[in-house]
Coordinates of all heavy atoms in Angstrom, one line a residue:
Y13 N 155.3 113.8 102.1 CA 155.1 114.7 103.3 C 155.3 114.0 104.6 O 155.9 114.5 105.5 CB 153.7 115.3 103.2 CG 153.7 116.5 102.3 CD1 153.4 116.3 100.9 CD2 153.9 117.8 102.7 CE1 153.3 117.3 100.0 CE2 153.9 118.9 101.8 CZ 153.6 118.6 100.5 OH 153.6 119.7 99.6
R14 N 154.9 112.7 104.7 CA 155.1 112.0 105.9 C 156.5 111.8 106.2 O 157.0 111.9 107.4 CB 154.3 110.7 105.9 CG 152.8 110.9 105.9 CD 152.0 109.5 105.8 NE 150.6 109.7 105.7 CZ 149.8 110.0 106.7 NH1 150.3 110.0 107.9 NH2 148.5 110.2 106.5
V15 N 157.3 111.5 105.2 CA 158.8 111.3 105.4 C 159.4 112.7 105.8 O 160.2 112.8 106.7 CB 159.4 110.8 104.1 CG1 160.9 110.8 104.2 CG2 158.9 109.4 103.8
A16 N 159.0 113.7 105.1 CA 159.5 115.1 105.4 C 159.2 115.5 106.9 O 160.0 116.0 107.6 CB 158.9 116.1 104.5
W17 N 158.0 115.2 107.3 CA 157.6 115.5 108.7 C 158.5 114.7 109.7 O 159.0 115.3 110.7 CB 156.1 115.2 109.0 CG 155.2 116.0 108.2 CD1 155.4 117.3 107.8 CD2 153.9 115.6 107.7 NE1 154.3 117.8 107.1 CE2 153.4 116.8 107.0 CE3 153.2 114.5 107.7 CZ2 152.1 116.7 106.4 CZ3 151.9 114.4 107.1 CH2 151.4 115.5 106.5
A18 N 158.8 113.5 109.4 CA 159.6 112.6 110.3 C 161.0 113.2 110.3 O 161.7 113.3 111.4 CB 159.6 111.2 109.9
L19 N 161.6 113.5 109.1 CA 162.9 114.0 109.0 C 163.1 115.4 109.7 O 164.0 115.7 110.4 CB 163.4 114.1 107.6 CG 163.6 112.7 106.9 CD1 163.8 113.0 105.4 CD2 164.7 112.0 107.5
A20 N 162.0 116.2 109.5 CA 162.1 117.6 110.1 C 162.1 117.4 111.6 O 162.9 118.1 112.3 CB 160.9 118.4 109.6
R21 N 161.2 116.5 112.1 CA 161.1 116.4 113.6 C 162.4 115.8 114.1 O 162.9 116.3 115.2 CB 160.0 115.4 114.0 CG 159.8 115.1 115.4 CD 159.6 116.5 116.2 NE 159.7 116.3 117.6 CZ 158.7 116.3 118.5 NH1 157.5 116.3 118.0 NH2 158.9 116.2 119.7
A22 N 163.0 114.9 113.5 CA 164.3 114.3 114.0 C 165.4 115.4 114.0 O 166.2 115.5 115.0 CB 164.8 113.2 113.1
N23 N 165.4 116.3 113.0 CA 166.4 117.4 113.0 C 166.1 118.5 114.0 O 167.0 119.0 114.6 CB 166.6 117.9 111.6 CG 167.4 117.0 110.7 OD1 168.7 117.1 110.8 ND2 166.8 116.1 110.0
L24 N 164.8 118.8 114.2 CA 164.4 119.8 115.2 C 164.8 119.3 116.6 O 165.3 120.0 117.4 CB 163.0 120.1 115.1 CG 162.5 120.9 113.8 CD1 161.0 120.9 113.7 CD2 163.1 122.3 113.8
D25 N 164.6 118.0 116.8 CA 165.0 117.4 118.1 C 166.4 117.5 118.4 O 166.9 117.4 119.5 CB 164.5 115.9 118.2 CG 163.0 115.8 118.4 OD1 162.3 116.8 118.7 OD2 162.4 114.7 118.2
L26 N 167.2 117.5 117.3 CA 168.7 117.7 117.5 C 169.1 119.2 117.7 O 170.3 119.5 117.8 CB 169.4 117.1 116.3 CG 169.4 115.6 116.1 CD1 170.0 115.2 114.7 CD2 170.1 114.9 117.2
G27 N 168.1 120.1 117.6 CA 168.4 121.5 117.8 C 168.8 122.2 116.5 O 169.3 123.3 116.5
R28 N 168.5 121.5 115.4 CA 168.9 122.1 114.1 C 167.7 123.0 113.5 O 166.6 122.7 113.8 CB 169.1 121.0 113.1 CG 170.2 120.1 113.6 CD 171.3 119.7 112.6 NE 171.2 120.1 111.3 CZ 172.2 120.9 110.7 NH1 173.2 121.4 111.5 NH2 172.1 121.3 109.5
R29 N 168.1 124.0 112.8 CA 167.1 124.7 112.0 C 166.8 123.8 110.8 O 167.7 123.1 110.3 CB 167.7 126.0 111.5 CG 167.9 127.0 112.6 CD 168.5 128.3 112.0 NE 168.7 129.3 113.0 CZ 169.9 129.9 113.2 NH1 170.9 129.7 112.3 NH2 170.1 130.7 114.1
V30 N 165.5 123.9 110.3 CA 165.1 123.1 109.2 C 164.4 124.0 108.2 O 163.5 124.7 108.6 CB 164.2 121.9 109.6 CG1 163.7 121.1 108.4 CG2 164.9 121.0 110.6
V31 N 164.8 123.8 106.9 CA 164.1 124.5 105.8 C 163.5 123.4 105.0 O 164.1 122.5 104.5 CB 165.1 125.3 105.0 CG1 164.4 125.9 103.7 CG2 165.7 126.5 105.8
V32 N 162.1 123.5 104.8 CA 161.4 122.6 104.0 C 160.9 123.2 102.7 O 160.3 124.3 102.7 CB 160.2 122.0 104.7 CG1 159.4 121.0 103.9 CG2 160.6 121.4 106.1
D33 N 161.2 122.6 101.6 CA 160.9 123.1 100.2 C 159.8 122.3 99.6 O 160.1 121.1 99.3 CB 162.2 123.1 99.4 CG 162.1 123.4 98.0 OD1 161.0 123.7 97.5 OD2 163.1 123.4 97.3
C34 N 158.6 122.8 99.6 CA 157.5 121.9 99.1 C 156.4 122.8 98.6 O 156.3 124.0 98.9 CB 157.0 121.0 100.2 SG 156.4 121.9 101.7
V35 N 155.4 122.2 97.8 CA 154.3 122.9 97.4 C 153.4 123.3 98.5 O 152.8 124.4 98.6 CB 153.5 122.1 96.3 CG1 152.2 122.8 95.9 CG2 154.4 122.0 95.0
N36 N 153.2 122.3 99.4 CA 152.4 122.5 100.6 C 151.0 123.2 100.3 O 150.7 124.3 100.8 CB 153.1 123.4 101.6 CG 152.7 123.2 103.1 OD1 152.0 122.2 103.4 ND2 153.2 124.0 103.9
P37 N 150.2 122.5 99.4 CA 149.1 123.2 98.8 C 147.8 123.3 99.6 O 146.9 124.1 99.3 CB 148.8 122.3 97.6 CG 149.2 121.0 98.0 CD 150.4 121.2 98.9
V38 N 147.7 122.5 100.7 CA 146.4 122.5 101.4 C 146.6 122.7 102.9 O 147.7 122.5 103.5 CB 145.7 121.1 101.2 CG1 145.3 120.9 99.7 CG2 146.5 119.9 101.7
S39 N 145.5 123.1 103.5 CA 145.6 123.5 104.9 C 146.0 122.3 105.8 O 146.7 122.5 106.8 CB 144.2 124.0 105.4 OG 143.2 123.1 105.2
E40 N 145.6 121.1 105.4 CA 146.0 119.9 106.3 C 147.5 119.8 106.4 O 148.1 119.5 107.4 CB 145.4 118.6 105.7 CG 143.9 118.5 105.9 CD 143.1 119.2 104.8 OE1 143.7 119.7 103.8 OE2 141.9 119.3 104.9
S41 N 148.2 119.9 105.2 CA 149.7 119.8 105.3 C 150.3 121.0 106.0 O 151.3 120.8 106.7 CB 150.3 119.6 103.9 OG 150.0 120.7 103.1
R42 N 149.8 122.1 105.8 CA 150.3 123.3 106.5 C 150.1 123.2 108.0 O 151.1 123.5 108.7 CB 149.6 124.6 105.9 CG 149.8 124.8 104.5 CD 148.9 125.8 103.9 NE 149.0 126.0 102.5 CZ 148.2 126.6 101.7 NH1 147.2 127.3 102.2 NH2 148.5 126.7 100.4
E43 N 149.0 122.7 108.4 CA 148.7 122.6 109.8 C 149.6 121.5 110.4 O 150.1 121.6 111.6 CB 147.3 122.3 110.1 CG 146.9 122.0 111.6 CD 147.4 123.1 112.6 OE1 147.4 124.3 112.2 OE2 147.9 122.7 113.7
A44 N 149.9 120.5 109.6 CA 150.8 119.4 110.1 C 152.2 120.0 110.4 O 152.8 119.6 111.4 CB 150.9 118.3 109.1
F45 N 152.7 120.9 109.6 CA 154.0 121.5 109.9 C 153.9 122.3 111.1 O 154.8 122.3 112.0 CB 154.5 122.3 108.7 CG 155.1 121.5 107.6 CD1 154.5 121.4 106.4 CD2 156.3 120.8 107.8 CE1 155.0 120.6 105.3 CE2 156.8 120.0 106.8 CZ 156.2 120.0 105.5
H46 N 152.8 123.1 111.3 CA 152.7 123.9 112.5 C 152.6 123.0 113.8 O 153.2 123.4 114.8 CB 151.4 124.8 112.4 CG 151.7 126.0 111.5 ND1 152.0 127.2 112.0 CD2 151.8 126.1 110.1 CE1 152.2 128.0 111.0 NE2 152.1 127.4 109.8
R47 N 151.8 121.9 113.7 CA 151.7 121.0 114.8 C 153.1 120.4 115.2 O 153.5 120.4 116.3 CB 150.7 119.9 114.5 CG 150.4 118.9 115.6 CD 149.3 118.0 115.3 NE 149.4 117.3 114.0 CZ 148.6 117.6 113.0 NH1 147.7 118.6 113.0 NH2 148.8 117.0 111.8
L48 N 153.9 120.1 114.1 CA 155.2 119.6 114.3 C 156.1 120.6 115.1 O 156.8 120.2 116.0 CB 155.8 119.2 113.0 CG 157.3 118.8 112.9 CD1 157.5 117.5 113.6 CD2 157.8 118.8 111.5

């Protein structure tokens, strides 16, 4: 998840749309994506 967050952020900073495919089972990981 930490690698995915870093890669997502780098791509969002480039103006790209990002699709993340994950179980994302708990509120902490879900909130981390929202914070990102």
Side-chain angles (χ1 to χ4, degrees):
Y13 280 88
R14 292 177 185 280
V15 171
W17 295 327
L19 292 171
R21 179 59 192 256
N23 280 278
L24 291 170
D25 286 347
L26 291 172
R28 304 223 2 114
R29 292 182 181 125
V30 176
V31 173
V32 182
D33 172 1
C34 58
V35 174
N36 206 12
V38 296
S39 60
E40 291 85 5
S41 62
R42 296 168 186 169
E43 177 50 37
F45 280 114
H46 283 258
R47 186 172 45 254
L48 172 70

